[in-house]
Amino acid sequence: MKFTIQVNTGPFTHQASDSAYRFTLAALESGHEIHRVFFYHDGVNNGTMMGAPPQDDRNLQVLWSELAEQHELDMVVCIAAAQRRGIMDAKESERHGKKFANIAPGFQISGLGQLIEAAVISDRLIVFGD
């Protein structure tokens, strides 16, 4: 089965981010395909490399980045939601006159059209969070 995963909550605001990660990992380990993971609303906060949780806490950004590298996942952060929350890649940072980019490895910024396209191509769209 081909899934698209939508993550709507940040890594420390709700269980949904953890559940999305664990579902994605389990689906991959079971032989399913993940077409795209789309981070929307506060879910874009999973894609900033500026988070620094305590050493004894899980770091979902690192877990997502590692999963993307291991499985060549397409992980997209919604551009509008990301800009509102100060998450930018090099191109957007330059366009807005900011001094640095802070998007984490494995994540890319794109538009809402990526979510729509993924939902059309996939067998299921699974949404985590409000």
Side-chain angles (χ1 to χ4, degrees):
M1 183 161 293
K2 185 186 297 188
F3 293 104
T4 289
I5 310 299
Q6 180 180 333
V7 183
N8 292 338
T9 62
F12 301 104
T13 56
H14 194 271
Q15 176 75 28
S17 291
D18 287 290
S19 296
Y21 171 78
R22 298 217 179 274
F23 178 89
T24 302
L25 179 61
L28 290 165
E29 289 174 347
S30 297
H32 297 286
E33 179 184 345
I34 303 297
H35 177 70
R36 180 168 295 133
V37 181
F38 192 88
F39 297 87
Y40 195 41
H41 301 301
D42 281 342
V44 300
N45 289 315
N46 287 281
T48 178
M49 65 179 172
M50 296 304 290
Q55 288 181 325
D56 62 344
D57 199 356
R58 87 268 187 267
N59 187 329
L60 273 175
Q61 175 271 302
V62 169
L63 292 173
W64 279 115
S65 291
E66 289 173 351
L67 193 64
E69 182 179 348
Q70 292 166 359
H71 295 278
E72 298 180 8
L73 289 181
D74 182 20
M75 298 197 319
V76 175
V77 174
C78 175
I79 188 169
Q83 285 177 349
R84 288 185 190 106
R85 292 159 180 84
I87 300 169
M88 297 182 193
D89 61 11
K91 180 180 173 186
E92 288 302 307
S93 179
E94 182 178 334
R95 187 167 77 95
H96 291 281
K98 303 297 181 183
K99 295 185 182 200
F100 62 91
N102 61 346
I103 195 161
F107 292 83
Q108 62 177 322
I109 292 180
S110 192
L112 198 52
Q114 294 283 67
L115 176 60
I116 294 166
E117 179 264 348
V120 169
I121 289 174
S122 297
D123 298 312
R124 298 281 186 272
L125 168 65
I126 310 291
V127 180
F128 292 88
D130 298 335

